[in-house]
Amino acid sequence: MLIICSILFERTSGLMDSNGNVITETYMSHTNDEVCIITACYLFLPFIIIVFSINKRIAVWEFVLENLILFFQLFLLIIIEIGSIPKTIAMGNIPLLFWCISYAALFIEVYAFFIYERVSNKKAAL
């Protein structure tokens, strides 16, 4: 879902600033804020590989890898300079809305499954 929404976001007009103006290439001194979201196309590919390769419980290295990816994406969102994600969503950018919901859901899912597996392993050991 994140990858699909990222591709769809790339086809929209992009992020808006806090005044509601679409960010264009006129901001030469600033980075391209849209790249922080478009990067998800490539950043979350390991999640797809892990999903189709898991035939056991989540290993600690998989949990660490997933956390690195999630926190790197969070870092990219934090360094957005001019663009405003809430303002862009409020102005009707539906792909970005679903992207944000999917990102939050993935974050919750990774932790919920890892904690659930650790708790169920402890109960099975007793």
XYZ file of all heavy atoms in Angstrom, residues 19-124:
869
model
N 1.217 27.930 3.259
C 0.283 28.911 2.700
C -0.676 28.297 1.689
O -1.538 28.985 1.153
C 1.050 30.052 2.030
C 1.899 30.814 3.020
O 1.519 30.969 4.174
N 3.054 31.266 2.577
N -0.495 27.015 1.381
C -1.369 26.350 0.421
C -0.877 26.415 -1.011
O -1.601 26.058 -1.927
N 0.343 26.882 -1.219
C 0.928 26.947 -2.562
C 1.656 25.644 -2.865
O 2.356 25.105 -2.018
C 1.921 28.102 -2.671
C 1.271 29.425 -2.358
O 0.138 29.682 -2.764
N 1.959 30.264 -1.614
N 1.494 25.164 -4.091
C 2.205 23.956 -4.505
C 3.686 24.274 -4.605
O 4.079 25.290 -5.168
C 1.670 23.446 -5.861
C 2.473 22.241 -6.343
C 0.206 23.082 -5.743
N 4.512 23.414 -4.033
C 5.960 23.614 -4.073
C 6.436 23.292 -5.484
O 6.154 22.231 -6.027
C 6.670 22.712 -3.056
C 6.239 23.078 -1.647
C 8.178 22.821 -3.202
C 6.789 22.173 -0.592
N 7.137 24.226 -6.054
C 7.663 24.031 -7.406
C 9.184 24.104 -7.368
O 9.783 24.253 -6.311
C 7.116 25.100 -8.367
O 7.522 26.391 -7.878
C 5.610 25.028 -8.466
N 9.790 24.051 -8.501
C 11.246 24.097 -8.600
C 11.807 25.495 -8.339
O 12.995 25.692 -8.429
C 11.681 23.624 -9.988
C 11.310 22.185 -10.286
C 12.016 21.203 -9.371
O 13.170 21.458 -8.994
O 11.402 20.188 -9.026
N 10.969 26.467 -8.002
C 11.461 27.825 -7.767
C 12.251 27.940 -6.472
O 12.977 28.894 -6.278
C 10.298 28.836 -7.727
O 9.382 28.441 -6.704
C 9.586 28.882 -9.063
N 12.097 26.983 -5.590
C 12.840 27.015 -4.331
C 14.208 26.367 -4.553
O 14.436 25.229 -4.183
C 12.082 26.264 -3.228
C 10.742 26.871 -2.901
C 9.564 26.243 -3.294
C 10.664 28.048 -2.190
C 8.332 26.793 -2.976
C 9.432 28.605 -1.879
C 8.280 27.973 -2.271
O 7.075 28.509 -1.960
N 15.106 27.079 -5.151
C 16.397 26.519 -5.535
C 17.291 26.223 -4.329
O 18.088 25.315 -4.363
C 17.141 27.467 -6.475
C 16.455 27.631 -7.795
S 16.408 26.067 -8.663
C 15.588 26.548 -10.138
N 17.151 26.980 -3.259
C 18.048 26.787 -2.124
C 17.613 25.640 -1.220
O 18.342 25.256 -0.320
C 18.146 28.083 -1.309
O 16.873 28.386 -0.761
N 16.445 25.101 -1.444
C 15.933 24.032 -0.588
C 15.932 22.701 -1.330
O 15.942 22.640 -2.543
C 14.514 24.365 -0.116
C 14.449 25.614 0.699
N 14.885 25.659 1.998
C 14.037 26.860 0.398
C 14.714 26.884 2.473
N 14.204 27.640 1.513
N 15.873 21.628 -0.554
C 15.835 20.303 -1.160
C 14.440 20.027 -1.715
O 13.479 20.706 -1.381
C 16.168 19.236 -0.110
O 15.204 19.306 0.949
C 17.554 19.435 0.447
N 14.345 19.010 -2.532
C 13.060 18.599 -3.073
C 12.353 17.751 -2.011
O 12.679 16.586 -1.812
C 13.270 17.805 -4.368
C 11.973 17.476 -5.049
O 10.895 17.803 -4.571
N 12.067 16.812 -6.183
N 11.392 18.348 -1.320
C 10.712 17.688 -0.219
C 9.907 16.471 -0.663
O 9.712 15.541 0.112
C 9.780 18.669 0.495
C 10.550 19.705 1.305
O 11.730 19.455 1.603
O 9.968 20.744 1.624
N 9.451 16.459 -1.893
C 8.627 15.351 -2.372
C 9.417 14.053 -2.438
O 8.847 12.971 -2.334
C 8.040 15.693 -3.740
C 7.082 16.853 -3.672
C 6.620 17.331 -5.025
O 6.958 16.684 -6.030
O 5.927 18.353 -5.070
N 10.726 14.149 -2.572
C 11.576 12.964 -2.622
C 11.466 12.174 -1.320
O 11.574 10.952 -1.321
C 13.042 13.367 -2.906
C 13.988 12.194 -2.744
C 13.150 13.950 -4.285
N 11.210 12.854 -0.210
C 11.092 12.178 1.080
C 9.942 11.176 1.095
O 9.996 10.185 1.814
C 10.899 13.203 2.193
S 12.305 14.306 2.386
N 8.915 11.399 0.305
C 7.783 10.482 0.229
C 7.950 9.523 -0.943
O 7.666 8.333 -0.832
C 6.473 11.269 0.134
C 6.281 12.052 1.425
C 5.293 10.342 -0.133
C 5.237 13.094 1.388
N 8.455 10.010 -2.056
C 8.629 9.177 -3.245
C 9.669 8.078 -2.996
O 9.592 7.007 -3.579
C 8.996 10.062 -4.450
C 7.827 10.990 -4.772
C 9.373 9.235 -5.652
C 8.140 12.090 -5.759
N 10.612 8.326 -2.098
C 11.634 7.344 -1.762
C 11.027 6.043 -1.226
O 11.646 4.989 -1.326
C 12.599 7.931 -0.712
O 13.151 9.126 -1.223
C 13.708 6.979 -0.361
N 9.819 6.103 -0.707
C 9.164 4.912 -0.146
C 8.999 3.807 -1.178
O 8.930 2.633 -0.814
C 7.802 5.295 0.443
N 8.952 4.158 -2.458
C 8.866 3.135 -3.512
C 9.991 2.131 -3.387
O 9.795 0.934 -3.575
C 8.934 3.775 -4.894
S 7.501 4.699 -5.368
N 11.166 2.611 -3.089
C 12.336 1.748 -3.009
C 12.638 1.321 -1.577
O 13.155 0.233 -1.344
C 13.554 2.473 -3.588
C 13.265 3.015 -4.956
C 13.010 4.368 -5.153
C 13.199 2.165 -6.051
C 12.724 4.858 -6.411
C 12.905 2.651 -7.312
C 12.676 4.006 -7.479
O 12.380 4.481 -8.717
N 12.304 2.177 -0.640
C 12.639 1.938 0.755
C 11.874 0.753 1.348
O 12.417 0.007 2.162
C 12.359 3.214 1.564
C 12.952 3.326 2.935
C 14.467 3.220 2.864
C 12.567 4.661 3.542
N 10.634 0.553 0.915
C 9.813 -0.493 1.515
C 9.787 -1.784 0.691
O 9.043 -2.696 1.013
C 8.398 0.027 1.773
C 8.366 1.004 2.908
C 8.326 2.369 2.666
C 8.420 0.570 4.214
C 8.323 3.276 3.708
C 8.427 1.462 5.274
C 8.375 2.820 5.022
N 10.620 -1.891 -0.338
C 10.737 -3.150 -1.086
C 11.211 -4.316 -0.215
O 10.721 -5.435 -0.372
C 11.650 -2.977 -2.294
C 11.018 -2.245 -3.480
C 12.054 -2.041 -4.569
C 9.813 -2.965 -4.013
N 12.130 -4.107 0.740
C 12.507 -5.231 1.607
C 11.335 -5.800 2.409
O 11.309 -6.993 2.706
C 13.564 -4.634 2.539
C 14.151 -3.517 1.764
C 13.011 -2.956 0.955
N 10.352 -4.967 2.731
C 9.177 -5.475 3.443
C 8.442 -6.511 2.598
O 7.980 -7.519 3.113
C 8.211 -4.334 3.799
C 8.549 -3.647 5.082
C 9.308 -2.498 5.083
C 8.095 -4.143 6.286
C 9.620 -1.862 6.255
C 8.405 -3.523 7.472
C 9.175 -2.375 7.468
N 8.329 -6.259 1.304
C 7.650 -7.204 0.416
C 8.426 -8.514 0.354
O 7.843 -9.598 0.435
C 7.475 -6.597 -0.989
C 6.512 -5.422 -0.924
C 6.978 -7.644 -1.971
C 6.362 -4.669 -2.213
N 9.736 -8.415 0.253
C 10.567 -9.622 0.210
C 10.443 -10.405 1.514
O 10.303 -11.629 1.500
C 12.034 -9.244 -0.082
C 12.133 -8.634 -1.486
C 12.962 -10.440 0.063
C 13.441 -7.942 -1.769
N 10.459 -9.715 2.640
C 10.346 -10.383 3.934
C 8.976 -11.042 4.090
O 8.867 -12.166 4.582
C 10.626 -9.391 5.086
C 12.113 -9.034 5.113
C 10.202 -9.975 6.426
C 12.471 -7.923 6.071
N 7.920 -10.375 3.654
C 6.577 -10.935 3.777
C 6.444 -12.248 3.017
O 5.868 -13.212 3.499
C 5.518 -9.914 3.286
C 4.179 -10.574 3.058
C 5.377 -8.790 4.281
N 7.004 -12.293 1.810
C 6.879 -13.503 1.007
C 7.905 -14.575 1.368
O 7.806 -15.695 0.903
C 6.975 -13.170 -0.482
C 5.754 -12.459 -0.977
C 5.829 -11.155 -1.426
C 4.521 -13.096 -0.974
C 4.688 -10.490 -1.877
C 3.384 -12.441 -1.424
C 3.473 -11.141 -1.867
N 8.882 -14.227 2.195
C 9.888 -15.221 2.560
C 9.736 -15.739 3.987
O 10.452 -16.644 4.382
C 11.288 -14.632 2.370
O 11.494 -13.579 3.283
N 8.824 -15.176 4.743
C 8.658 -15.609 6.131
C 7.850 -16.905 6.160
O 6.735 -16.959 5.682
C 7.951 -14.528 6.981
C 8.860 -13.336 7.185
C 7.536 -15.109 8.319
C 8.254 -12.229 8.010
N 8.454 -17.936 6.699
C 7.737 -19.185 6.928
C 7.885 -19.600 8.387
O 7.619 -20.733 8.744
C 8.239 -20.286 5.987
C 9.730 -20.514 6.116
O 10.390 -19.874 6.936
N 10.257 -21.411 5.306
N 8.337 -18.667 9.188
C 8.529 -18.892 10.604
C 8.189 -17.595 11.330
O 7.657 -16.681 10.744
C 9.979 -19.287 10.864
C 10.943 -18.229 10.330
C 12.357 -18.524 10.673
C 13.321 -17.503 10.134
N 12.920 -16.158 9.978
N 8.527 -17.552 12.580
C 8.316 -16.323 13.349
C 9.304 -15.245 12.903
O 10.321 -15.538 12.292
C 8.486 -16.608 14.838
C 7.473 -17.604 15.349
C 7.508 -17.608 16.855
N 6.598 -18.579 17.396
C 5.299 -18.394 17.582
N 4.745 -17.255 17.221
N 4.547 -19.318 18.109
N 8.996 -14.008 13.255
C 9.867 -12.888 12.884
C 11.173 -12.998 13.666
O 11.164 -13.091 14.884
C 9.191 -11.533 13.185
C 7.929 -11.360 12.357
C 10.158 -10.393 12.931
C 7.156 -10.112 12.678
N 12.268 -13.015 12.949
C 13.588 -13.058 13.587
C 13.959 -11.665 14.071
O 13.439 -10.656 13.588
C 14.625 -13.576 12.600
N 14.869 -11.628 15.016
C 15.303 -10.345 15.564
C 15.949 -9.489 14.474
O 15.721 -8.282 14.422
C 16.266 -10.571 16.751
C 16.837 -9.259 17.249
C 15.561 -11.304 17.881
N 16.728 -10.090 13.576
C 17.377 -9.303 12.518
C 16.340 -8.698 11.574
O 16.538 -7.601 11.069
C 18.411 -10.132 11.758
C 17.843 -11.202 10.872
C 17.613 -12.503 11.196
C 17.407 -11.041 9.525
N 17.059 -13.170 10.136
C 16.923 -12.298 9.092
C 17.371 -9.969 8.641
C 16.413 -12.498 7.819
C 16.868 -10.185 7.368
C 16.399 -11.434 6.966
N 15.226 -9.420 11.346
C 14.159 -8.869 10.501
C 13.486 -7.689 11.194
O 13.180 -6.676 10.560
C 13.123 -9.946 10.187
C 13.645 -11.028 9.287
C 12.715 -12.220 9.187
O 11.945 -12.483 10.133
O 12.767 -12.897 8.158
N 13.279 -7.813 12.494
C 12.686 -6.732 13.275
C 13.589 -5.497 13.262
O 13.123 -4.376 13.079
C 12.438 -7.204 14.715
C 11.806 -6.172 15.593
C 10.495 -5.775 15.394
C 12.520 -5.608 16.634
C 9.904 -4.827 16.211
C 11.934 -4.666 17.455
C 10.626 -4.272 17.245
N 14.888 -5.716 13.399
C 15.849 -4.602 13.368
C 15.859 -3.949 11.989
O 15.838 -2.721 11.875
C 17.256 -5.088 13.777
C 18.302 -4.018 13.513
C 17.271 -5.504 15.235
N 15.881 -4.759 10.929
C 15.852 -4.220 9.564
C 14.583 -3.399 9.327
O 14.647 -2.290 8.781
C 15.944 -5.349 8.541
C 15.802 -4.929 7.078
C 16.979 -4.054 6.656
C 15.675 -6.144 6.181
N 13.450 -3.931 9.740
C 12.189 -3.205 9.571
C 12.202 -1.897 10.342
O 11.720 -0.868 9.855
C 11.024 -4.089 10.000
C 10.814 -5.261 9.061
C 9.893 -6.326 9.620
O 9.472 -6.221 10.795
O 9.598 -7.283 8.884
N 12.768 -1.905 11.551
C 12.867 -0.676 12.329
C 13.784 0.340 11.670
O 13.488 1.537 11.668
C 13.355 -0.974 13.746
C 12.231 -1.363 14.642
O 11.248 -0.648 14.741
N 12.358 -2.510 15.270
N 14.888 -0.116 11.130
C 15.791 0.803 10.428
C 15.082 1.473 9.254
O 15.213 2.681 9.046
C 17.034 0.061 9.943
C 18.036 -0.338 11.015
C 19.131 -1.216 10.420
C 18.633 0.892 11.674
N 14.331 0.698 8.512
C 13.596 1.250 7.372
C 12.538 2.243 7.843
O 12.425 3.348 7.307
C 12.961 0.123 6.540
C 14.054 -0.716 5.871
C 12.006 0.686 5.494
C 13.554 -2.002 5.253
N 11.756 1.855 8.857
C 10.700 2.740 9.361
C 11.276 4.039 9.923
O 10.749 5.128 9.665
C 9.877 2.021 10.426
C 8.931 0.949 9.924
C 8.384 0.127 11.080
C 7.798 1.567 9.129
N 12.357 3.945 10.690
C 12.923 5.147 11.279
C 13.664 6.008 10.257
O 13.701 7.223 10.391
C 13.807 4.805 12.480
C 12.996 4.437 13.685
C 12.992 3.146 14.160
C 12.205 5.380 14.322
C 12.225 2.790 15.255
C 11.430 5.048 15.423
C 11.443 3.747 15.885
N 14.233 5.395 9.231
C 14.838 6.194 8.161
C 13.754 6.976 7.426
O 13.939 8.157 7.110
C 15.627 5.312 7.193
C 16.299 6.096 6.108
C 17.337 6.954 6.399
C 15.875 5.996 4.788
C 17.964 7.695 5.404
C 16.486 6.726 3.788
C 17.534 7.579 4.090
N 12.606 6.329 7.164
C 11.500 7.045 6.521
C 10.999 8.169 7.426
O 10.703 9.258 6.955
C 10.351 6.085 6.199
C 9.181 6.759 5.528
C 9.502 7.285 4.149
O 9.940 6.538 3.296
N 9.275 8.561 3.917
N 10.918 7.910 8.737
C 10.507 8.953 9.676
C 11.496 10.113 9.653
O 11.092 11.280 9.662
C 10.385 8.375 11.087
C 9.922 9.333 12.165
C 8.506 9.826 11.871
C 9.986 8.660 13.519
N 12.779 9.809 9.590
C 13.800 10.852 9.486
C 13.594 11.692 8.229
O 13.687 12.921 8.265
C 15.199 10.221 9.494
C 16.296 11.193 9.211
C 16.680 12.123 10.158
C 16.949 11.205 7.977
C 17.695 13.036 9.892
C 17.956 12.099 7.699
C 18.335 13.022 8.663
N 13.303 11.020 7.109
C 13.046 11.750 5.862
C 11.837 12.672 6.003
O 11.826 13.768 5.454
C 12.840 10.782 4.701
C 14.073 10.015 4.227
C 13.694 9.025 3.131
C 15.148 10.957 3.747
N 10.815 12.223 6.715
C 9.631 13.069 6.913
C 9.946 14.261 7.807
O 9.410 15.347 7.609
C 8.492 12.247 7.511
C 7.923 11.151 6.619
C 6.855 10.365 7.375
C 7.363 11.717 5.337
N 10.813 14.061 8.779
C 11.167 15.148 9.699
C 11.977 16.233 8.998
O 11.846 17.411 9.313
C 11.932 14.586 10.918
C 10.964 13.775 11.788
C 12.579 15.685 11.732
C 11.643 13.002 12.899
N 12.805 15.844 8.023
C 13.664 16.849 7.380
C 12.970 17.603 6.248
O 13.612 18.397 5.567
C 14.983 16.223 6.863
C 14.731 15.195 5.770
C 15.806 15.663 7.994
C 15.999 14.751 5.049
N 11.677 17.386 6.062
C 10.949 18.174 5.068
C 11.014 19.640 5.486
O 10.666 19.992 6.606
C 9.489 17.696 4.932
C 9.459 16.313 4.285
C 8.654 18.692 4.138
C 8.068 15.712 4.173
N 11.476 20.496 4.583
C 11.730 21.892 4.927
C 10.533 22.804 4.648
O 10.071 23.507 5.521
C 12.942 22.405 4.156
C 14.232 21.739 4.555
C 15.405 22.215 3.733
O 15.240 23.138 2.910
O 16.492 21.667 3.911
N 10.074 22.814 3.430
C 9.034 23.774 3.039
C 7.661 23.132 3.020
O 6.678 23.735 3.406
C 9.346 24.368 1.651
C 10.660 25.123 1.709
C 8.246 25.280 1.188
C 11.125 25.623 0.371
N 7.585 21.903 2.571
C 6.304 21.232 2.395
C 5.597 20.956 3.705
O 6.210 20.810 4.752
N 4.286 20.879 3.624
C 3.452 20.600 4.787
C 2.546 19.422 4.459
O 1.642 19.543 3.628
C 2.614 21.823 5.149
O 1.683 21.504 6.139
N 2.798 18.304 5.116
C 1.973 17.118 4.872
C 0.527 17.357 5.296
O -0.390 17.066 4.527
C 2.593 15.882 5.552
C 3.893 15.512 4.835
C 1.630 14.702 5.533
C 4.656 14.375 5.454
N 0.268 17.909 6.500
C -1.144 18.143 6.885
C -1.867 19.093 5.932
O -3.028 18.866 5.591
C -1.042 18.748 8.290
C 0.275 18.310 8.809
C 1.167 18.195 7.622
N -1.188 20.139 5.494
C -1.817 21.106 4.576
C -2.100 20.447 3.227
O -3.154 20.673 2.626
C -0.886 22.313 4.388
C -1.511 23.431 3.619
C -2.593 24.078 4.431
C -2.951 25.410 3.858
N -3.988 26.075 4.635
N -1.180 19.595 2.750
C -1.363 18.913 1.472
C -2.542 17.956 1.547
O -3.352 17.884 0.614
C -0.078 18.153 1.082
O 1.015 19.079 1.092
C -0.198 17.522 -0.283
N -2.667 17.247 2.654
C -3.801 16.332 2.832
C -5.101 17.121 2.929
O -6.113 16.740 2.334
C -3.593 15.438 4.066
C -2.432 14.469 3.816
C -4.862 14.672 4.416
C -2.011 13.678 5.027
N -5.069 18.234 3.668
C -6.276 19.060 3.819
C -6.742 19.639 2.487
O -7.940 19.863 2.285
C -6.008 20.192 4.810
N -5.824 19.850 1.564
C -6.183 20.393 0.256
C -6.626 19.295 -0.721
O -6.842 19.563 -1.889
C -5.008 21.186 -0.332
C -4.622 22.394 0.497
S -5.971 23.556 0.751
C -5.981 24.377 -0.815
N -6.735 18.049 -0.240
C -7.335 16.999 -1.041
C -6.383 16.004 -1.684
O -6.775 15.318 -2.625
N -5.174 15.873 -1.193
C -4.240 14.898 -1.753
C -4.500 13.537 -1.094
O -3.914 13.194 -0.075
C -2.797 15.343 -1.533
C -1.824 14.571 -2.371
O -1.919 13.360 -2.474
N -0.883 15.281 -2.973
N -5.391 12.757 -1.696
C -5.814 11.464 -1.155
C -4.674 10.435 -1.124
O -4.544 9.716 -0.139
C -7.032 10.919 -1.941
C -8.190 11.914 -1.890
C -7.459 9.560 -1.435
C -8.672 12.254 -0.498
N -3.821 10.329 -2.170
C -2.713 9.363 -2.076
C -1.808 9.604 -0.867
O -1.362 8.664 -0.222
C -1.946 9.549 -3.382
C -2.965 10.034 -4.347
C -3.867 10.914 -3.524
N -1.562 10.877 -0.527
C -0.725 11.180 0.630
C -1.441 10.799 1.921
O -0.804 10.313 2.861
C -0.327 12.655 0.643
C 0.644 13.079 1.735
C 1.935 12.270 1.660
C 0.935 14.561 1.637
N -2.752 10.989 1.982
C -3.524 10.584 3.153
C -3.400 9.076 3.375
O -3.082 8.618 4.475
C -4.995 10.971 2.988
C -5.948 10.436 4.058
C -5.630 11.025 5.420
C -7.380 10.714 3.659
N -3.622 8.287 2.324
C -3.520 6.841 2.447
C -2.077 6.407 2.708
O -1.838 5.412 3.393
C -4.080 6.144 1.205
C -5.578 6.136 1.181
C -6.266 6.716 0.129
C -6.300 5.553 2.201
C -7.643 6.716 0.103
C -7.679 5.544 2.187
C -8.358 6.132 1.139
N -1.109 7.157 2.178
C 0.291 6.858 2.454
C 0.568 7.007 3.945
O 1.203 6.130 4.551
C 1.184 7.802 1.645
C 2.639 7.460 1.738
C 3.337 6.692 0.866
C 3.565 7.874 2.748
N 4.648 6.590 1.284
C 4.813 7.308 2.438
C 3.453 8.653 3.888
C 5.939 7.508 3.226
C 4.570 8.849 4.679
C 5.796 8.285 4.342
N 0.106 8.093 4.541
C 0.328 8.330 5.973
C -0.367 7.272 6.830
O 0.211 6.780 7.809
C -0.155 9.729 6.360
S 0.844 11.058 5.689
N -1.593 6.919 6.468
C -2.326 5.883 7.205
C -1.593 4.545 7.088
O -1.432 3.822 8.080
C -3.772 5.779 6.691
C -4.550 7.041 7.067
C -4.463 4.532 7.239
C -5.908 7.151 6.398
N -1.125 4.212 5.898
C -0.408 2.958 5.681
C 0.905 2.923 6.456
O 1.276 1.892 7.021
C -0.120 2.751 4.199
O -1.302 2.699 3.467
N 1.607 4.035 6.489
C 2.872 4.107 7.230
C 2.623 3.887 8.717
O 3.322 3.097 9.360
C 3.558 5.452 6.983
C 4.844 5.606 7.751
C 5.983 4.921 7.365
C 4.910 6.426 8.872
C 7.170 5.048 8.078
C 6.080 6.565 9.579
C 7.209 5.874 9.190
O 8.367 6.002 9.902
N 1.621 4.552 9.263
C 1.298 4.377 10.681
C 0.858 2.942 10.968
O 1.258 2.349 11.975
C 0.211 5.368 11.096
N 0.050 2.369 10.077
C -0.421 0.993 10.267
C 0.740 0.005 10.207
O 0.786 -0.954 10.992
C -1.475 0.649 9.218
N 1.681 0.221 9.307
C 2.840 -0.665 9.207
C 3.692 -0.573 10.460
O 4.173 -1.589 10.976
C 3.665 -0.312 7.969
C 4.872 -1.201 7.696
C 4.438 -2.647 7.465
C 5.638 -0.690 6.493
N 3.874 0.626 10.976
C 4.635 0.828 12.202
C 3.990 0.060 13.349
O 4.664 -0.668 14.083
C 4.706 2.329 12.517
C 5.678 2.680 13.586
C 7.008 2.890 13.261
C 5.279 2.798 14.900
C 7.928 3.219 14.246
C 6.185 3.129 15.891
C 7.516 3.338 15.570
N 2.685 0.192 13.493
C 1.953 -0.505 14.554
C 2.002 -2.016 14.344
O 2.203 -2.782 15.297
C 0.493 0.003 14.625
C 0.479 1.454 15.105
C -0.356 -0.888 15.516
C -0.848 2.155 14.928
N 1.850 -2.443 13.104
C 1.842 -3.876 12.802
C 3.176 -4.534 13.146
O 3.210 -5.617 13.731
C 1.527 -4.086 11.326
C 1.526 -5.533 10.913
C 1.313 -5.698 9.422
O 1.461 -4.716 8.672
O 1.016 -6.834 9.020
N 4.280 -3.907 12.796
C 5.598 -4.481 13.069
C 5.773 -4.691 14.569
O 6.190 -5.760 15.014
C 6.713 -3.577 12.501
C 8.075 -3.942 13.069
C 6.736 -3.656 10.992
N 5.434 -3.687 15.358
C 5.596 -3.808 16.808
C 4.583 -4.768 17.414
O 4.923 -5.548 18.308
C 5.529 -2.431 17.469
C 6.844 -1.729 17.385
C 7.148 -0.924 16.293
C 7.804 -1.900 18.360
C 8.376 -0.297 16.200
C 9.035 -1.273 18.278
C 9.310 -0.476 17.195
O 10.528 0.128 17.103
N 3.352 -4.739 16.955
C 2.322 -5.623 17.506
C 2.670 -7.087 17.257
O 2.570 -7.920 18.179
C 0.961 -5.288 16.898
N 3.086 -7.427 16.046
C 3.434 -8.820 15.746
C 4.679 -9.265 16.504
O 4.740 -10.383 17.003
C 3.622 -9.043 14.247
C 2.335 -9.233 13.515
C 2.032 -8.445 12.424
C 1.422 -10.188 13.916
C 0.843 -8.611 11.744
C 0.229 -10.364 13.242
C -0.063 -9.569 12.159
N 5.661 -8.400 16.587
C 6.880 -8.780 17.300
C 6.591 -9.003 18.779
O 7.042 -9.996 19.363
C 7.960 -7.715 17.109
C 9.303 -8.136 17.620
C 10.068 -9.055 16.908
C 9.815 -7.633 18.796
C 11.317 -9.448 17.362
C 11.052 -8.027 19.261
C 11.807 -8.938 18.545
N 5.843 -8.104 19.386
C 5.501 -8.255 20.807
C 4.614 -9.483 21.016
O 4.817 -10.253 21.949
C 4.825 -6.974 21.335
C 5.855 -5.830 21.371
C 4.211 -7.200 22.706
C 5.265 -4.467 21.619
N 3.641 -9.687 20.132
C 2.761 -10.852 20.230
C 3.561 -12.154 20.153
O 3.338 -13.086 20.932
C 1.709 -10.828 19.123
C 0.914 -12.100 19.031
C -0.071 -12.386 19.971
C 1.179 -13.025 18.029
C -0.798 -13.569 19.904
C 0.470 -14.210 17.957
C -0.515 -14.476 18.893
O -1.220 -15.651 18.825
N 4.501 -12.231 19.228
C 5.312 -13.437 19.089
C 6.182 -13.672 20.308
O 6.347 -14.807 20.743
C 6.164 -13.376 17.831
C 5.363 -13.565 16.575
C 6.215 -13.557 15.328
O 7.437 -13.316 15.418
O 5.650 -13.810 14.253
N 6.734 -12.626 20.881
C 7.575 -12.780 22.073
C 6.733 -13.237 23.263
O 7.164 -14.095 24.023
C 8.313 -11.483 22.408
C 9.288 -11.065 21.334
C 10.356 -12.116 21.118
N 11.140 -11.777 19.952
C 11.590 -12.636 19.075
N 11.347 -13.907 19.201
N 12.284 -12.260 18.040
N 5.550 -12.670 23.419
C 4.665 -13.066 24.524
C 4.187 -14.500 24.331
O 4.166 -15.290 25.275
C 3.473 -12.087 24.657
C 2.423 -12.616 25.615
C 3.968 -10.716 25.098
N 3.805 -14.859 23.128
C 3.324 -16.231 22.875
C 4.451 -17.252 23.027
O 4.209 -18.369 23.464
C 2.680 -16.340 21.502
O 3.632 -16.145 20.482
N 5.688 -16.877 22.715
C 6.830 -17.771 22.931
C 7.066 -18.010 24.418
O 7.392 -19.113 24.834
C 8.098 -17.213 22.298
C 8.148 -17.433 20.807
O 7.426 -18.245 20.265
N 9.026 -16.698 20.146
N 6.906 -16.957 25.221
C 7.097 -17.103 26.661
C 6.013 -17.978 27.279
O 6.265 -18.796 28.140
C 7.129 -15.736 27.345
C 8.414 -14.978 27.091
C 8.431 -13.667 27.817
C 9.733 -12.923 27.491
N 9.798 -11.640 28.148
N 4.769 -17.809 26.801
C 3.671 -18.626 27.298
C 3.852 -20.091 26.887
O 3.549 -21.005 27.660
C 2.326 -18.109 26.800
C 1.889 -16.845 27.464
C 0.531 -16.413 26.974
C 0.118 -15.113 27.638
N -1.190 -14.670 27.151
N 4.339 -20.322 25.675
C 4.555 -21.696 25.206
C 5.706 -22.362 25.970
O 5.689 -23.573 26.179
C 4.868 -21.690 23.714
